[in-house]
Amino acid sequence: MALICAALVNAQSSNYTPQEAAKHVGETATITRMVDGFHQSGKGNIFLNIGGKYPNQAFTAFIPAASAAQFSNPQQYEKRTVAVSRKITLYHGKPEIVVNSPSQISAQ
């Protein structure tokens, strides 16, 4: 049953490039592309910049400090193609997805 539910959720999720993400704020979607830059702030927040390096990235996968412990080696995503899924939001005018669980991101 869980697999069927997961398949239905994935079927309803659209796949966009980082550059298209800003046009789809508020939608649940998947953004797939190579991570161009990784940064972990002093507060423990993790930023995976996609579609360019900070501050010129087109999109960010944001892992808040409260969720960072779930990611044993988040730097592994740098220079790898990832698929990030969830609701697209805006932060300071840039599209992002807040990643609270490793199940929301997969490396290829």
Side-chain angles (χ1 to χ4, degrees):
M1 184 66 170
L3 290 175
I4 293 171
C5 290
L8 289 174
V9 169
N10 288 337
Q12 295 171 351
S13 179
S14 298
N15 199 341
Y16 301 115
T17 67
Q19 293 75 16
E20 295 171 324
K23 298 175 190 169
H24 299 280
V25 172
E27 291 182 31
T28 296
T30 299
I31 306 298
T32 305
R33 193 64 91 227
M34 186 178 76
V35 174
D36 295 304
F38 164 89
H39 174 73
Q40 187 159 14
S41 73
K43 294 181 180 180
N45 296 313
I46 298 168
F47 302 86
L48 302 176
N49 296 309
I50 300 171
K53 291 192 176 208
Y54 178 85
N56 300 312
Q57 78 279 13
F59 175 82
T60 300
F62 172 68
I63 304 170
S67 301
Q70 296 180 58
F71 296 84
S72 60
N73 181 18
Q75 195 165 3
Q76 71 175 319
Y77 299 119
E78 189 168 28
K79 302 298 179 202
R80 292 184 68 191
T81 298
V82 298
V84 183
S85 301
R86 197 164 185 198
K87 185 177 179 179
I88 300 171
T89 59
L90 279 183
Y91 182 76
H92 291 278
K94 298 255 186 179
E96 72 175 18
I97 290 180
V98 178
V99 179
N100 292 307
S101 166
S103 67
Q104 289 176 250
I105 187 168
S106 64
Q108 301 171 354

